[in-house]
Structures are given as C-alpha cells and as structure tokens.
Amino acid sequence: MISSEPEHEVIERQITKRLMSDPEALSGGVSLEVLVHRAVREEAPLLGRQASSELTRRILANVSGLGPLEEMLEDTNVSDILINGPGPVWIERRGCLEQTEVELDEASIMQFVERMIGPLGRRVDRCSPIVDARLPDGSRVNVVVSPLAVDGPAVSIRRFGSRQLSLSEFCSGSVCDLLVSAVRERRNIVVFGGTGAGKTTLLNALARAIPPTERVITIEDTAELKLGLPNMVRLEVRHENSEGVGSVTTRELLRTALRMRPDRIVVGEVRGSETLDMLMAMNTGHSGSLSTCHANGPDDALRRLETMTLLGDTDLPLSAIRSQLGSAVDLLVGVQRCPDGKRLVTSVSVVDETGGDVSASPLEK
C-alpha cells in the first residue's frame, strides 16, 4: 500500500485536477489508464512500482470512478456506505458501524452522485431532491439533497454480498427443517424485521428450498434477490424519470405477474396498497408465495399488513381484509440483527383467524 505522506496526496490531487480539467485528453485515443500511468511517472519518477500502481489506481478512481468509495465497494465485508453530508464517511463492516478516515466535501459528494445515477438516466437536484437507484453491481443507492438534507447531500449505499447465507446460518436445525418443509409444502410466508435485519437475505435462503421445476416470478423495488432457479423471471419497479413520468409500481407488476403463469410469486417487500394484490394472489392458486415487511413482532406484522391493505383504493371493510389476511398468510418469520452483526431468526408464528380477527401463535421462538 502507498504511504499516506502528504507528497503522495499532493501528487494525486494535482494529477486528478489536471486530467479532470482536460476533457480533450480524456476523450483522445489513448486509454485513461495509460494517461494516468504516464502522469504518475512524470510527477513521481522515483516512486516504487507498488506505490506507483497504488497511486495510479487511486487517481483512476477519482477521474472515472467513485474515488475513495471504490475501495469500500470492493470490500466484501462492507454492507453499507453512509455519507451524512460533508465530512467523514461511515461504513457498516461485519454488522458494526465505523467511521472511516475518508472525508469528502460537498462538491466531491455531488460529483460521485452524478457518476452513480447519471448513467442510469436519473437526476437529483432541488426540484427532485430524492432519488433511489440500483448500481450495475446490484448495490442500492439512496440520495437526498438540499433543501431536504439540511447539512448537505446524504448518500446511503446498501451493498449485497457475493456470498449467499444458508438457512442454517439463521437458525437451529429444527427451525431450519421446519422452514424448509413449509416452503416445500407451499406455505405462504411473510418475513418481518427492522431495517437492516436481514429480511431479504433470509428470503433468499428460504427461496432456495423451492423445487427447480416450479416457475417463480420475483417483484422488487430494487432487484436484490439471487435465487438461482432455472425457471424464473425477475421484475423490478421503475421509478418516474426526470420528467416525472414512466413509473411502473409494484402493484402493476403484481397484476402483470399473475398473467405470466407463475407457480409462486416472491415480492421483495410490501410497503403499501400492493399488499391487497399480494394477499389476493396468495388466495387464488399461487400458494407458496413469499414476501417481507417492516415490523417489530408477529402481531405488529399482522397490523402492518392490515394497515397497508387499507391504503389501497378499496372499500373493503376491515373484517373482509382480516379474512383475506387470515386465509392468505400461513407463517410469519421474524429476523433480527444481533449486536455482533449476525442475523438470526427470532420467531416462527402461525397465522390464525378466529371470530373475525387474525392473530399469530408462536410455533418456534
């Protein structure tokens, strides 16, 4: 690794500034890597090979990539990269938050934001101060700028590890066997937990118990699921473009999925009125479907599903919604993140409907 001596930082800054201010050189016939390598040799001819290569890599990241964020994105132990405005960058590594030595000013943050979302046809500015997008590597990025972000642009990048966790890493053998049997017996399952608890990761692990002979349609706000099934279609919500048109919602994709001859439908997360469509799909021959929602416990998950269903343009009474919910959802599986960063299944509950009400009874805890 190159040392952090000031002269190296000065050289890095000078070459980066020179190349960024010379668009003709960047668009010429010579590759950017060759240009940077030449510049490093000119500015620091006595630099050793390893230090020179490291300096070249950092300048390339500054000019064409995400600068110091590149190294964080390449670290497989980093799950979240958090920028709270000008100042230090925070990361979550192995489940624990830590402050890095990297500090960014507002201009650098906005430059990196533009590089992330520009190629995706998205924009963020005072008129459109919030944007969600998916990077080419599958990472999910959320950006909030002024006037909503008071202290400067806030950026949250959620990375998804290349290693897929097995179900046995979430729970004991008996619970694992119970959940595998539930999936294979085509029980409808909703995974619940807090933000960052591991809901999507657990959903991935559960879905790997689906037989390869079945056709599965996945619907997600941001494509994260990696099920590895041979007969699968992945659908992703499309947000409105810079002109405010062209959006395709989860609800629309659910209705489309029903016309695609699915054996099972997997909805990454239900957040609103699409909950009713999901429950109706579960009740109309698409058993074995899976989804997630934000909730703190099984009873809270049921109330959340009720509330989200009521958000839709429906005149169904609460009793009818509870009837749908009671007959649609078979199991509620809770997951949480422990202080050491490990994700664990905290409860498995069966959904019961009695006397016009729905409740969750624990099977395993």
Side-chain angles (χ1 to χ4, degrees):
M1 292 289 292
I2 185 173
S3 67
S4 58
E5 292 295 322
E7 58 264 33
H8 295 133
E9 295 178 3
V10 171
I11 293 171
E12 178 184 346
R13 195 159 51 247
Q14 287 177 340
I15 297 176
T16 298
K17 184 178 180 180
R18 192 171 79 202
L19 290 173
M20 292 292 289
S21 62
D22 188 3
E24 290 185 6
L26 295 178
S27 60
V30 181
S31 72
L32 179 59
E33 188 171 358
V34 171
L35 281 175
V36 173
H37 181 70
R38 286 177 183 173
V40 170
R41 299 312 301 168
E42 290 172 3
E43 295 287 344
L46 300 181
L47 207 58
R49 178 177 294 180
Q50 183 177 351
S52 177
S53 297
E54 174 63 14
L55 183 55
T56 299
R57 184 193 66 79
R58 283 165 50 176
I59 294 171
L60 279 169
N62 291 338
V63 175
S64 63
L66 300 179
L69 302 183
E70 291 273 5
E71 191 170 345
M72 302 175 196
L73 286 167
E74 292 169 2
D75 188 339
T76 56
N77 294 314
V78 172
S79 57
D80 289 270
I81 301 171
L82 308 168
I83 302 172
N84 303 328
V89 176
W90 289 75
I91 61 173
E92 180 179 306
R93 196 198 312 265
R94 299 187 185 91
C96 298
L97 283 173
E98 59 184 77
Q99 181 178 314
T100 70
E101 296 180 356
V102 175
E103 294 201 12
L104 300 175
D105 57 25
E106 184 164 345
S108 297
I109 296 171
M110 291 308 297
Q111 183 182 74
F112 296 147
V113 166
E114 179 58 34
R115 288 182 185 168
M116 284 188 285
I117 68 173
L120 306 176
R122 311 299 302 280
R123 73 170 190 183
V124 61
D125 50 34
R126 292 184 66 88
C127 296
S128 181
I130 300 176
V131 69
D132 290 291
R134 176 168 56 89
L135 302 182
D137 68 350
S139 299
R140 185 175 66 206
V141 60
N142 170 267
V143 181
V144 185
V145 299
S146 176
L148 302 186
V150 178
D151 299 318
V155 182
S156 306
I157 302 174
R158 166 66 59 85
R159 297 186 63 253
F160 302 100
S162 56
R163 188 179 80 85
Q164 300 296 308
L165 299 183
S166 65
L167 199 52
S168 60
E169 294 178 78
F170 283 93
C171 50
S172 64
S174 60
V175 178
C176 182
D177 292 341
L178 170 66
L179 293 177
V180 169
S181 296
V183 173
R184 291 178 177 167
E185 292 170 5
R186 302 183 63 82
R187 306 299 184 191
N188 292 322
I189 301 173
V190 174
V191 176
F192 67 86
T195 301
K199 298 184 295 297
T200 301
T201 308
L202 177 56
L203 198 65
N204 255 319
L206 287 169
R208 283 198 287 277
I210 296 175
T213 54
E214 297 185 12
R215 178 171 170 81
V216 178
I217 311 294
T218 68
I219 300 170
E220 300 176 83
D221 187 68
T222 303
E224 304 168 18
L225 295 170
K226 300 176 182 177
L227 308 187
L229 295 170
N231 191 1
M232 182 178 72
V233 176
R234 301 169 72 203
L235 303 178
E236 183 180 51
V237 167
R238 187 173 72 182
H239 298 281
E240 62 185 26
N241 60 22
S242 56
E243 283 74 42
V245 297
S247 66
V248 180
T249 66
T250 300
R251 193 167 195 182
E252 291 173 291
L253 291 180
L254 257 169
R255 293 172 177 175
T256 297
L258 292 173
R259 305 185 187 104
M260 299 174 70
R261 199 261 175 225
D263 289 309
R264 303 182 193 234
I265 297 175
V266 179
V267 181
E269 182 180 347
V270 286
R271 296 188 177 97
S273 59
E274 71 274 4
T275 306
L276 177 60
D277 298 87
M278 183 192 73
L279 295 178
M280 294 180 70
M282 289 177 170
N283 274 327
T284 54
H286 300 94
S287 57
S289 295
L290 308 169
S291 189
T292 75
C293 74
H294 278 81
N296 297 321
D299 290 325
D300 183 38
L302 288 176
R303 301 290 86 81
R304 288 270 297 169
L305 291 171
E306 286 179 7
T307 302
M308 289 187 291
T309 302
L310 289 169
L311 292 175
D313 51 351
T314 176
D315 294 325
L316 286 175
L318 182 58
S319 58
I321 290 173
R322 286 178 173 173
S323 177
Q324 284 277 343
L325 183 56
S327 57
V329 180
D330 298 308
L331 292 179
L332 295 170
V333 181
V335 63
Q336 74 173 25
R337 179 176 56 182
C338 301
D340 62 0
K342 191 174 183 180
R343 272 79 171 177
L344 294 175
V345 169
T346 55
S347 65
V348 180
S349 305
V350 63
V351 177
D352 298 310
E353 182 194 2
T354 53
D357 195 9
V358 285
S359 60
S361 305
L363 285 177
E364 296 280 350
K365 189 171 183 179

